[in-house]
Amino acid sequence: MNPSSVATAAEPNMQSMTIEDTPAAAQPSEPKPFAWNKCVKVVLVLLGFLLFAMAIGSGLHSLKQWKSPSSLHSLANSRAAPQACCSPACLKVADRLSLAIDPFSQPCDYFLFTCGLSGATRGRQRGKGTTHHSNSGEGERTKKRHGKRVETDRENDTLVERLPDRETLLKESIREILEMAEGLDSPNSLEWKARQFYRSCMNTDSIEGQGSEPFLKVIKQLGGWSALGQWTQTDINSTLALLMGQYGTFPFFSVFVGKDPNQQHNNTPYIQIDQPDFQIPTEWDDQSETSKAEAVSMRPFLSSSLNFLTLLGVPRSSRAMSNGLYMALSSELAKKSSPLHHRLQTNMLYQRVTIRELQTLAPVIDWLGCLKATFHPLAISESDSVLLHNLPYIVHMSDTISKWLLKNGVMGSGTIQTYMILSLLHTLHPALDSRFRETQRNLSVALGNMEEEDPRWKHCIKTTERGFDVLLGDMVRDRTAHRETEELVGNLYSSLQSKLTDLAWRNKESRNSVLKRVKSLTPRFMAHTDKQKLAELYSEVVISEDSYFANCLQSLLLQQKRRTQLFSQSFQPDIMSITPFLSGSAIIFPSGMFLPPLFHPSYPRALNYGGLGFMMAKDLLHLLLPDLHTESGSPESVAACVWSHYISVTEGPGRVGAFSLAPSQKLEVWVQYTALQVALQAYQNSLQQHQNDASLTGLFHNHLFLTSFTQVSCDPYPYRQLMTFEPSFLVSVICANSDLCPSQMTCEKKPLVAPLDSC
Ligand SMILES: *[C@@H]1O[C@H](CO)[C@@H](O)[C@H](O)[C@H]1NC(C)=O
Ligand SMILES: *[C@@H]1O[C@H](CO)[C@@H](O)[C@H](O)[C@H]1NC(C)=O
Ligand SMILES: *[C@@H]1O[C@H](CO)[C@@H](O)[C@H](O)[C@H]1NC(C)=O
């Protein structure tokens, strides 16, 4: 392991450098909006000056000119403004933070700010201060359309600069790790392999240069292809075993590993067999209970497969014929595929058979041989059980293939080979030149997929993760093992526990049972992977400097190994997760959560607790919620209280209770409000342990905490759609009856929530 790889974990803490700071309390002045830039400049000057000073032995006194960027008081902490954090990580995050809304500078309308598209609007625009919640509370909300948030009729509201979602943030961090130059001089170290894989993916010039050549080589290794005129007729069993074992391709049925839900106390993983993911678009017909090729999608589908045949060099004379036969076989196979709801109704899922029984049910496939290849080197025998999810399809598939094999030449086994080769192309086309990717892309657009294409770097991170997830998990983990993460999680969990203790419970038993469960769970970090095991997993991987295609084949072999390891469970499966999850009696906090800009050990704690702390509290509440909401009466009354605050501010007092929230919306309001309270309490506890906490962009302590919260409250997480107002409004509810806020949230136009009770 390269020792320099952990360098980022110990970024120099420049906070400890002496900056002659005039305490703000002694020199009251107005907050300066661009004071932060000054801090950046000062640090640069400071660095330059240090070098200079070393040379000429001069002092640092010229820095005395620098003034504290802030004079804001915290009511709760009316001490002097703490020192500004000027660590590299702080400097980086300050830009983002300066775009966040400060709830205390515009208390009259800050909560009408809208969570905007990330990057869509920079800076702050003044809102008109109009009220805009609708009767249903949902109709006017931003809508999820084609997987992308679309702003509806709120274009005149102020948009909050939104952080990218957490998955993107994790990918950005991994990108940073992979793009670091370090380790380049130790080729074939494990980290070098991951970096080189990523780099070969980014090297589009080289990918374009190779064209379809690498794929044609693979076809040769598979015995050729009748459509290209060279074919040493191989039997379908051996080709299929190769595709499943070495190329991660499952043309006729899909194979995966999982537990049997019908055996609750048995954690044994089973091989499971399902219908495949068909390339041909089909629609389900309820009457005949079959799937039919979708008429409107046929043209784009046919033209894309024709395009693929052209790109692979199939001669014009036989192209149309091969394509037509391919389509005929595809639609015939797909006939017996059926949607999940139908299979649930007819009890098709998790049907247990032995491999021997499967062989008699669907004789054309050499099941034992294929499964042995898929899970090499595991010992698999005919008496082992597998779980089927669509037996009628499997039987039909076997019959169809037998029937086609009886036809002569290209008509029969040739078409079966075409079908397998185009399935393989589907697995490998992302590794080929842009003509292949564009063809696939055009088809997916024609079929109605409106999602934007990932930028190249993100696509490459995703493909790198596929083979190197364990290693990347470990690299991320190396950079996040801090005392500070443990403190954050510890404070948060104990604050959550005491919050749950104080809830209004429906009865004593339910209170005790929930608290017992919460106590029985231990918060834990994702464990480090055993270095020996890591080395074993990656030692045989040969990464090429210039061939992305060759590297993708290596990645498929890695994925085969990982599939096999699902039986021995030697690696944590959710290694790239971004939210806490339950595993036995532990709550696991994955390393990928603790990365900038959401977390850094050098950040002021207020930033970490108000941002990531709030998000984690939200995650934990949702994780424990199935137990909580039925047991406690709290969510309803708290949500009603918060909602009446909102109504009274936006509509005036007379309208309280005019609209009501659906139960799921109430629950979400409660979750978010409670999460904010829990995180704030955890921060207060941490302040009691260590009073020092740095400032950033002139903000500190609770003020910085609440600003950090406002920024992450726009996080597009799964339950976000249930929130009937912008979560930043919760700041005014918290401040209504608390001395924790830096200033009273008053405004000339109307009183903000003052007359109401605290929630
Ligand atoms: C937004 O502002 C523009 C110009 O100020 C105005 O013409 C338009 O009607 C406004 N739209 C809404 C929805 O208020
Ligand atoms: C594949 O192997 C199975 C089992 O040995 C056999 O029954 C079947 O006929 C073979 N299929 C072909 C097409 O050769
Ligand atoms: C994809 O679609 C675009 C726009 O319709 C077209 O210009 C392009 O030639 C198509 N590419 C391929 C490879 O089919």
Side-chain angles (χ1 to χ4, degrees):
M1 217 45 210
N2 187 343
S4 64
S5 65
V6 291
T8 47
E11 271 173 39
N13 187 356
M14 300 218 270
Q15 204 185 314
S16 58
M17 280 183 198
T18 35
I19 296 173
E20 302 269 37
D21 186 359
T22 320
Q27 271 202 5
S29 65
E30 282 303 301
K32 299 180 187 85
F34 297 108
W36 183 248
N37 283 341
K38 203 184 246 175
C39 178
V40 177
K41 279 182 205 141
V42 165
V43 171
L44 293 178
V45 169
L46 175 60
L47 284 174
F49 196 80
L50 268 176
L51 293 173
F52 186 58
M54 274 189 246
I56 65 163
S58 168
L60 286 172
H61 48 263
S62 64
L63 279 167
K64 279 183 179 162
Q65 293 161 337
W66 187 70
K67 291 207 179 90
S68 159
S70 166
S71 66
L72 284 166
H73 285 251
S74 158
L75 288 185
N77 306 281
S78 50
R79 291 169 245 129
Q83 258 177 15
C85 169
C86 291
S87 74
C90 277
L91 295 183
K92 238 175 151 176
V93 81
D95 281 344
R96 265 186 167 145
L97 190 70
S98 61
L99 295 175
I101 301 300
D102 173 6
F104 300 97
S105 63
Q106 302 166 21
C108 293
D109 58 1
Y110 79 90
F111 55 84
L112 301 174
F113 289 69
T114 309
C115 294
L117 298 171
S118 92
T121 311
R122 303 242 138 217
R124 304 168 189 191
Q125 300 169 346
R126 293 288 311 199
K128 293 256 192 292
T130 47
T131 65
H132 60 274
H133 64 82
S134 66
N135 295 5
S136 69
E138 271 288 84
E140 219 180 343
R141 304 281 316 160
T142 53
K143 301 231 160 59
K144 214 173 161 82
R145 206 175 285 155
H146 302 309
K148 234 187 109 178
R149 280 174 75 98
V150 181
E151 289 298 321
T152 50
D153 47 3
R154 297 172 138 206
E155 70 243 325
N156 286 358
D157 289 336
T158 304
L159 291 176
V160 173
E161 169 73 4
R162 192 168 90 182
L163 288 176
D165 59 277
R166 279 195 271 183
E167 199 196 324
T168 302
L169 289 176
L170 175 59
K171 299 223 178 321
E172 279 175 1
S173 294
I174 294 177
R175 178 188 189 181
E176 217 164 276
I177 295 175
L178 288 179
E179 286 182 353
M180 276 189 314
E182 78 184 36
L184 281 184
D185 46 345
S186 51
N188 291 319
S189 72
L190 297 189
E191 296 202 1
W192 178 88
K193 287 180 181 177
R195 290 204 167 92
Q196 195 53 49
F197 182 93
Y198 172 75
R199 218 168 285 137
S200 69
C201 176
M202 292 297 284
N203 186 352
T204 44
D205 285 348
S206 154
I207 297 171
E208 292 300 314
Q210 300 198 348
S212 55
E213 208 43 49
F215 189 76
L216 294 175
K217 256 191 213 150
V218 174
I219 293 182
K220 261 201 199 114
Q221 283 161 10
L222 292 175
W225 183 16
S226 56
L228 290 178
Q230 287 181 319
W231 188 29
T232 47
Q233 196 155 355
T234 41
D235 84 298
I236 121 165
N237 281 325
S238 61
T239 309
L240 193 57
L242 266 175
L243 291 186
M244 291 171 66
Q246 289 195 20
Y247 296 102
T249 300
F250 302 86
F252 300 115
F253 48 90
S254 65
V255 176
F256 56 95
V257 177
K259 290 170 199 160
D260 181 357
N262 298 325
Q263 292 190 312
Q264 286 195 342
H265 300 290
N266 182 352
N267 274 342
T268 320
Y270 286 95
I271 296 176
Q272 316 212 3
I273 296 173
D274 200 352
Q275 62 194 33
D277 294 322
F278 282 104
Q279 297 313 302
I280 189 168
T282 57
E283 58 194 349
W284 176 244
D285 179 24
D286 252 333
Q287 296 268 290
S288 62
E289 300 202 337
T290 53
S291 292
K292 288 186 181 137
E294 213 176 28
V296 285
S297 311
M298 257 329 95
R299 263 173 72 115
F301 174 70
L302 275 175
S303 96
S304 79
S305 50
L306 194 64
N307 219 347
F308 281 137
L309 295 177
T310 312
L311 292 174
L312 293 177
V314 174
R316 182 183 289 273
S317 55
S318 59
R319 231 180 270 158
M321 163 98 151
S322 297
N323 201 26
L325 288 168
Y326 165 66
M327 202 215 73
L329 174 61
S330 296
S331 53
E332 195 173 341
L333 281 173
K335 213 162 89 186
K336 286 279 179 180
S337 65
S338 54
L340 194 60
H341 70 83
H342 175 72
R343 292 190 273 155
L344 273 170
Q345 273 166 14
T346 49
N347 287 326
M348 278 190 211
L349 302 179
Y350 298 103
Q351 201 168 342
R352 179 188 292 263
V353 297
T354 63
I355 295 176
R356 189 179 296 117
E357 284 163 340
L358 186 58
Q359 192 61 55
T360 54
L361 290 166
V364 84
I365 304 287
D366 174 11
W367 292 96
L368 188 61
C370 287
L371 293 176
K372 274 185 169 167
T374 308
F375 296 103
H376 176 83
L378 288 189
I380 295 178
S381 80
E382 279 191 316
S383 55
D384 287 339
S385 292
V386 297
L387 302 174
L388 302 183
H389 298 289
N390 189 345
L391 178 57
Y393 165 79
I394 298 288
V395 171
H396 167 77
M397 178 264 304
S398 177
D399 291 349
T400 306
I401 294 177
S402 308
K403 209 175 74 193
W404 278 72
L405 284 176
L406 290 178
K407 300 179 187 171
N408 281 331
V410 187
M411 285 281 283
S413 48
T415 304
I416 305 265
Q417 179 85 349
T418 301
Y419 184 87
M420 291 196 283
I421 283 177
L422 288 180
S423 295
L424 178 63
L425 182 63
H426 187 71
T427 307
L428 287 171
H429 81 264
L432 292 169
D433 70 73
S434 55
R435 298 167 303 163
F436 289 90
R437 298 197 305 270
E438 205 181 300
T439 302
Q440 188 65 35
R441 171 88 194 141
N442 280 2
L443 173 61
S444 120
V445 169
L447 299 182
N449 177 6
M450 303 304 284
E451 252 171 73
E452 260 175 61
E453 219 176 350
D454 280 332
R456 185 73 192 168
W457 71 266
K458 202 168 178 185
H459 167 80
C460 288
I461 296 290
K462 281 183 184 169
T463 57
T464 312
E465 270 179 16
R466 235 168 265 153
F468 290 92
D469 57 342
V470 181
L471 180 60
L472 288 179
D474 212 56
M475 286 160 83
V476 167
R477 165 82 226 219
D478 273 349
R479 289 160 175 82
T480 53
H482 309 297
R483 185 171 44 81
E484 287 82 357
T485 44
E486 280 162 33
E487 260 177 35
L488 174 63
V489 167
N491 279 332
L492 205 70
Y493 204 68
S494 62
S495 160
L496 182 73
Q497 275 188 11
S498 50
K499 182 77 202 171
L500 295 182
T501 316
D502 295 342
L503 286 190
W505 293 91
R506 292 207 198 281
N507 60 49
K508 212 170 159 193
E509 289 97 76
S510 60
R511 175 180 186 273
N512 289 345
S513 82
V514 170
L515 289 183
K516 201 170 139 203
R517 174 166 157 72
V518 173
K519 277 216 179 75
S520 73
L521 293 170
T522 325
R524 273 225 300 271
F525 292 96
M526 191 81 92
H528 251 304
T529 314
D530 184 62
K531 296 286 175 209
Q532 182 87 33
K533 275 189 187 164
L534 262 187
E536 271 167 32
L537 182 57
Y538 295 106
S539 59
E540 285 162 28
V541 181
V542 182
I543 294 297
S544 142
E545 300 245 5
D546 55 1
S547 172
Y548 178 53
F549 189 88
N551 291 343
C552 281
L553 295 184
Q554 291 287 311
S555 170
L556 289 174
L557 291 179
L558 271 175
Q559 289 167 51
Q560 191 275 341
K561 261 191 174 174
R562 298 276 284 122
R563 214 168 14 245
T564 303
Q565 280 160 348
L566 289 173
F567 287 97
S568 55
Q569 294 175 329
S570 36
F571 296 107
Q572 183 68 254
D574 306 296
I575 218 152
M576 284 290 148
S577 173
I578 41 166
T579 52
F581 57 90
L582 295 171
S583 167
S585 65
I587 301 183
I588 308 283
F589 291 84
S591 317
M593 297 176 65
F594 303 97
L595 290 167
L598 292 178
F599 180 90
H600 194 271
S602 78
Y603 286 171
R605 298 200 305 287
L607 193 71
N608 287 333
Y609 280 78
L612 183 60
F614 164 74
M615 290 170 130
M616 275 165 41
K618 220 164 50 170
D619 292 337
L620 288 172
L621 285 166
H622 276 296
L623 203 59
L624 303 168
L625 212 56
D627 294 338
L628 280 180
H629 77 291
T630 49
E631 313 282 355
S632 155
S634 258
E636 279 217 38
S637 54
V638 171
C641 171
V642 172
W643 183 235
S644 65
H645 271 275
Y646 186 73
I647 297 287
S648 81
V649 170
T650 52
E651 297 282 319
R655 306 285 304 273
V656 170
F659 315 115
S660 60
L661 300 179
S664 59
Q665 294 173 324
K666 279 186 189 156
L667 206 58
E668 186 55 25
V669 170
W670 175 79
V671 164
Q672 300 225 2
Y673 184 60
T674 307
L676 180 59
Q677 289 177 317
V678 165
L680 186 56
Q681 187 56 51
Y683 178 56
Q684 300 310 311
N685 296 349
S686 104
L687 273 183
Q688 271 167 14
Q689 294 153 21
H690 319 277
Q691 300 208 335
N692 295 337
D693 194 18
S695 71
L696 194 62
T697 66
L699 306 176
F700 57 92
H701 291 166
N702 294 344
H703 194 166
L704 179 56
F705 175 99
L706 292 169
T707 308
S708 176
F709 157 75
T710 308
Q711 189 171 39
V712 304
S713 69
C714 288
D715 175 48
Y717 88 130
Y719 303 92
R720 173 88 175 89
Q721 302 291 324
L722 292 172
M723 223 21 207
T724 40
F725 50 84
E726 296 308 340
S728 57
F729 176 72
L730 297 173
V731 175
S732 59
V733 185
I734 285 263
C735 290
N737 270 292
S738 153
D739 58 355
L740 291 173
C741 295
S743 64
Q744 226 77 59
M745 302 197 72
T746 49
C747 90
E748 314 88 60
K749 285 184 237 159
K750 51 188 157 190
L752 270 185
V753 297
L756 288 163
D757 301 335
S758 60
C759 300

